[in-house]
Amino acid sequence: MRKVIAGMALLLTLSACGEDGTDTAPTAPASSEPAAVEQPSDPAEKPTRPEPEQTAEGAEAYTDYVIRMLAYTLATPDRESILDEARGECAPCATVAQTGMGLGDEVYAYSGPLTIDIEDAEVTDDTATVRASFRAPSAQILDPQTNVVSGEFPAESSEFDYHLQWVDGSWKVRTWTLPGQAP
């Protein structure tokens, strides 16, 4: 299993990364549903960014994606992908990028799949609030070249409201809070 330096709940909370605005796919009408994107449950498999959709379903898909992207960053030595997500005006994303870089070569070797439940999305014009809960399985922190374990991380479950804004044709996470708190 792979380990993370900081707490999984904190890091997954910080996973709320926004796009840098360079991908400006055309916006679908509000009544259309986004194409379903099958996301991996194995944290070591790189997730696929969903097509931007300015709908509740699009906000939910993007929130799921950014949580999976952080878990992927912790489970692999690929730090460039999270840096791509951190570019732009998203302060939480910059924190995640710095945390990922602080891992060096160590990775989290998870004991099982990441479980994400998108519970609710409320969209108003160009903002959305998405409630998401997740369960990160226990993990060992190890050097992927030598398989030497330097620590362990227990399984954790958390729930947060992710506050998104539609900017330049895509969702960006501006902040996150505990359920029901104002951003």
Side-chain angles (χ1 to χ4, degrees):
M1 317 295 132
R2 299 173 188 160
K3 161 194 167 192
V4 154
I5 304 287
M8 180 58 78
L10 173 62
L11 290 178
L12 285 173
T13 302
L14 297 176
S15 71
C17 304
E19 296 176 70
D20 64 7
T22 57
D23 277 351
T24 53
T27 303
S31 62
S32 72
E33 291 192 25
V37 176
E38 183 75 23
Q39 294 290 350
S41 61
D42 179 354
E45 289 183 46
K46 188 173 183 175
T48 303
R49 178 181 286 140
E51 289 297 319
E53 298 277 346
Q54 193 173 0
T55 63
E57 293 83 6
E60 290 173 355
Y62 186 71
T63 301
D64 182 89
Y65 164 75
V66 295
I67 294 169
R68 291 180 191 286
M69 180 55 78
L70 180 60
Y72 166 78
T73 300
L74 300 175
T76 70
D78 177 4
R79 306 293 184 241
E80 198 59 37
S81 293
I82 198 69
L83 288 174
D84 289 343
E85 292 299 318
R87 290 180 176 89
E89 299 176 15
C90 180
C93 303
T95 302
V96 171
Q98 290 173 352
T99 301
M101 299 310 271
L103 288 173
D105 291 335
E106 289 186 319
V107 296
Y108 273 36
Y110 293 100
S111 63
L114 178 68
T115 305
I116 299 172
D117 183 27
I118 303 297
E119 300 169 21
D120 188 20
E122 185 177 308
V123 177
T124 306
D125 298 323
D126 65 348
T127 64
T129 299
V130 179
R131 178 152 304 157
S133 60
F134 58 84
R135 182 183 182 285
S138 62
Q140 293 181 322
I141 303 169
L142 64 95
D143 179 318
Q145 277 84 28
T146 64
N147 286 331
V148 171
V149 175
S150 63
E152 307 237 347
F153 196 83
E156 290 214 28
S157 296
S158 295
E159 180 178 67
F160 298 98
D161 286 346
Y162 292 82
H163 305 281
L164 313 177
Q165 185 169 6
W166 185 260
V167 179
D168 296 330
S170 64
W171 288 113
K172 294 184 183 194
V173 176
R174 292 299 180 201
T175 190
W176 64 94
T177 60
L178 293 173
Q181 289 185 339

